[in-house]
Amino acid sequence: ERLKKEATREDKLSLVGTPEFWEHYSVLDFLYPDVLPWLRAKNREALHILTAYKPSQGEQAKAFQEAKIASGNFDTLFESVTVMEGLKGPIGAEIAEQFPVNEAIIFIDDRLDQCLSMKESLPASYCFLITREGAQLETTPSGIMSVTNLAEVDAIMKDI
């Protein structure tokens, strides 16, 4: 939604959803203010980004996601980046296998279906549904924690 607003303002609405969009913008232009400081404070080797597109969106959606990630030079912040189709849980569980069994696996997403997928694939994970700009769920399913910013994730994990 934020991409569409910016593209409309810049008269580039026709580019939304295409890889060419990222020739004019960087994903960094659309991050919330707490994201980069939070990422930079973490251990790069422990950070993995999973970005997904819906199967119905097809190959252009994959190219869009790849161009989006490349526009932000995320390779300096993350150990790995996976652009994938569908739900993130199974891939997240595969990534988690490289960590010690007692290592906390934290998953943060803005889509409930992705959080549920991760919780199903990796029940011991700590799953956070991040809702921004005042959008709040009335109820959060068991095992999914709802937060509005990344500082809340750190505060919760500190107490666990």
Side-chain angles (χ1 to χ4, degrees):
E1 213 40 51
R2 291 173 70 205
L3 295 178
K4 288 179 184 174
K5 286 179 187 174
E6 180 65 20
T8 300
R9 190 176 66 77
E10 297 276 330
D11 197 29
K12 294 192 176 25
L13 189 58
S14 65
L15 296 177
V16 173
T18 69
E20 292 77 22
F21 181 85
W22 299 111
E23 293 173 12
H24 302 277
Y25 299 100
S26 165
V27 68
L28 302 177
D29 298 330
F30 298 95
L31 293 179
Y32 287 93
D34 63 336
V35 174
L36 281 179
W38 189 84
L39 290 172
R40 288 181 177 135
K42 304 301 176 198
N43 177 358
R44 178 187 181 277
E45 288 76 29
L47 294 175
H48 299 264
I49 188 167
L50 297 174
T51 185
Y53 59 94
K54 295 176 184 169
S56 62
Q57 295 172 317
E59 282 303 305
Q60 179 160 305
K62 180 179 182 183
F64 177 81
Q65 291 294 336
E66 289 169 341
K68 177 177 79 172
I69 295 300
S71 78
N73 295 316
F74 280 129
D75 58 332
T76 63
L77 295 172
F78 295 94
E79 178 65 21
S80 70
V81 176
T82 302
V83 178
M84 54 173 290
E85 176 181 84
L87 295 173
K88 298 175 182 178
I91 301 294
E94 286 178 24
I95 291 170
E97 289 176 3
Q98 66 186 296
F99 294 100
V101 175
N102 61 345
E103 180 104 11
I105 302 297
I106 301 167
F107 179 78
I108 304 167
D109 206 291
D110 61 355
R111 289 183 40 200
L112 180 58
D113 62 335
Q114 295 291 6
C115 290
L116 292 170
S117 172
M118 181 60 73
K119 201 64 178 166
E120 181 180 324
S121 296
L122 196 63
S125 63
Y126 296 94
C127 294
F128 292 90
L129 176 66
I130 192 160
T131 55
R132 302 283 192 159
E133 299 177 8
Q136 193 72 0
L137 292 178
E138 288 184 27
T139 59
T140 305
S142 178
I144 308 294
M145 295 170 269
S146 182
V147 296
T148 58
N149 60 62
L150 294 168
E152 290 177 24
V153 172
D154 287 340
I156 292 169
M157 291 308 298
K158 188 177 108 181
D159 291 339
I160 291 180

